[in-house]
Amino acid sequence: MHKFLRSVGFGSYQKKKEIARLLDELQKTAGEHRRIQTEPDSNLCEIRAELAPGMGIVIVGETDEDGVFHREYYYPYLKGEDISSEAECTIQRHTEKETFGGLLDEARVGISLIFYLDNGFEYLERGLDQVSRRVKSVKLTGLSGEGKILLPLHKTRKQIEKAQVAAKDRSNLLEAARNGDEDAMETLTIEDIDMYSQISRRVMREDIYSIVDSSFMPSGIECDQYTVIGEVIRVEEKTNRITEELVYDLTLNCNDMVFHVGIARKDLLGEPVVGRRFKGQIWMQGVANFEECDD
């Protein structure tokens, strides 16, 4: 059973037999099918079953020479319309199956961000058609099995503007440091030492969440899972058409990067309101927008 199946409204499905029956039914009723000829006697097939606008389950398998579909794996998905990053992106195939991961060299989060590529079929098709697979931007989404709502930090307009300028300056310094600028490296080192000293003093008398406005950190041993704290900038409710469970589609601003997070209402502690913050572990997905070739 996929760990984040509950994130799209299937929290009541606990047994493999129940999920197998669900997937069998979705295979019959799903409206979107895509096939790629991988071998002379078989096709790779993707079935995308939508459970609510922009949310559903993807089922992937092979169709043999008799036209019989053999399911290999499935995963839940959530789509967002916001461009999250235009940083350099590399895509690589996973070892065990025909799936792909993306690696974003994103300076704003301070780490190399890894995500599960949701439009891997498009990536495969472009390769077979010998079309450019260069990524120009990525739309990121996350699925969460558990989260909580934190109160916002009170900031004046001057403090917000100052933080935005500081974030931009730090991003420029990180880019320069990557290019070998020793002065930028030294400046970043000094800033990190000062920040550590300030936080060490403040944490003695303040709660950690009043100091840390937002954060983006790897979580566990799987490379595409993260623990995030981000400001809620939009809230949308989606209803799973099968279970009628309510799912929140939260648009977050985390480290100045915008992405969506899907979480079942029963798994979220607190009321999501614009301006408050979300804290939780997410499985990061992404849709890569590829460069179009000139005719």
Side-chain angles (χ1 to χ4, degrees):
M1 184 179 71
H2 199 287
K3 180 181 177 182
F4 292 97
L5 197 60
R6 64 184 303 112
S7 305
V8 296
F10 287 112
S12 59
Y13 284 67
Q14 300 294 331
K15 297 180 180 179
K16 290 183 178 180
K17 289 183 179 180
E18 293 177 338
I19 296 169
R21 286 195 294 268
L22 169 67
L23 296 175
D24 290 340
E25 185 62 30
L26 291 176
Q27 285 172 204
K28 298 175 185 176
T29 59
E32 187 178 344
H33 295 68
R34 299 175 71 177
R35 286 184 176 87
I36 297 177
Q37 186 79 34
T38 55
E39 296 178 8
D41 57 348
S42 67
N43 294 308
L44 190 64
C45 181
E46 178 189 79
I47 300 172
R48 196 168 285 261
E50 192 170 71
L51 304 166
M55 182 184 82
I57 293 177
V58 174
I59 305 168
V60 181
E62 285 192 355
T63 305
D64 61 24
E65 55 187 357
D66 297 322
V68 179
F69 177 74
H70 301 277
R71 183 170 64 235
E72 293 187 1
Y73 64 93
Y74 70 95
Y75 66 90
Y77 74 89
L78 177 71
K79 284 188 173 180
E81 296 302 320
D82 297 285
I83 299 294
S84 302
S85 176
E86 295 180 347
E88 182 179 349
C89 180
T90 305
I91 295 175
Q92 294 187 2
R93 183 186 184 277
H94 291 141
T95 304
E96 68 216 35
K97 51 183 177 281
E98 202 73 38
T99 58
F100 300 89
L103 175 67
L104 277 170
D105 191 15
E106 181 55 71
R108 289 175 293 179
V109 297
I111 57 174
S112 294
L113 195 156
I114 299 173
F115 63 91
Y116 184 96
L117 186 66
D118 185 36
N119 59 331
F121 243 63
E122 182 184 355
Y123 181 78
L124 274 173
E125 287 176 337
R126 295 178 78 92
L128 293 171
D129 296 338
Q130 296 184 342
V131 179
S132 171
R133 296 197 287 189
R134 184 179 177 85
V135 180
K136 64 178 181 180
S137 62
V138 176
K139 298 176 181 178
L140 293 173
T141 57
L143 294 177
S144 177
E146 184 180 6
K148 61 181 68 175
I149 297 297
L150 306 178
L151 292 174
L153 296 180
H154 176 70
K155 292 183 178 180
T156 64
R157 180 172 297 180
K158 186 176 180 180
Q159 287 175 320
I160 294 172
E161 291 175 354
K162 185 178 179 181
Q164 290 173 343
V165 171
K168 186 176 180 180
D169 290 344
R170 182 172 177 81
S171 179
N172 292 335
L173 284 170
L174 285 168
E175 186 64 31
R178 282 195 176 95
N179 293 329
D181 189 327
E182 293 185 1
D183 290 338
M185 294 179 193
E186 185 177 347
T187 302
L188 285 168
T189 302
I190 294 171
E191 285 184 356
D192 287 345
I193 293 172
D194 289 343
M195 184 182 297
Y196 178 80
S197 177
Q198 291 174 18
I199 292 173
S200 298
R201 290 195 301 269
R202 289 182 60 183
V203 80
M204 300 297 293
R205 61 181 187 278
E206 297 180 49
D207 183 84
I208 187 65
Y209 296 121
S210 68
I211 301 171
V212 179
D213 189 3
S214 66
S215 70
F216 201 105
M217 294 181 62
S219 177
I221 61 174
E222 295 187 56
C223 55
D224 53 9
Q225 293 189 25
Y226 301 91
T227 297
V228 301
I229 301 174
E231 181 185 356
V232 178
I233 58 176
R234 189 162 62 246
V235 179
E236 183 180 352
E237 295 181 355
K238 299 178 185 289
T239 303
N240 184 311
R241 62 179 174 83
I242 294 176
T243 63
E244 297 187 351
E245 285 189 37
L246 183 67
V247 174
Y248 286 123
D249 179 356
L250 307 177
T251 307
L252 303 184
N253 186 330
C254 179
N255 287 31
D256 202 31
M257 188 172 66
V258 175
F259 58 92
H260 290 246
V261 168
I263 183 171
R265 180 173 67 175
K266 65 181 182 181
D267 293 329
L268 182 64
L269 179 63
E271 186 69 21
V273 176
V274 173
R276 293 180 181 177
R277 292 177 294 166
F278 168 84
K279 177 183 181 292
Q281 183 179 340
I282 64 170
W283 173 46
M284 186 63 80
Q285 301 177 339
V287 172
N289 298 318
F290 299 102
E291 288 185 348
E292 295 300 329
C293 294
D294 297 329
D295 295 332

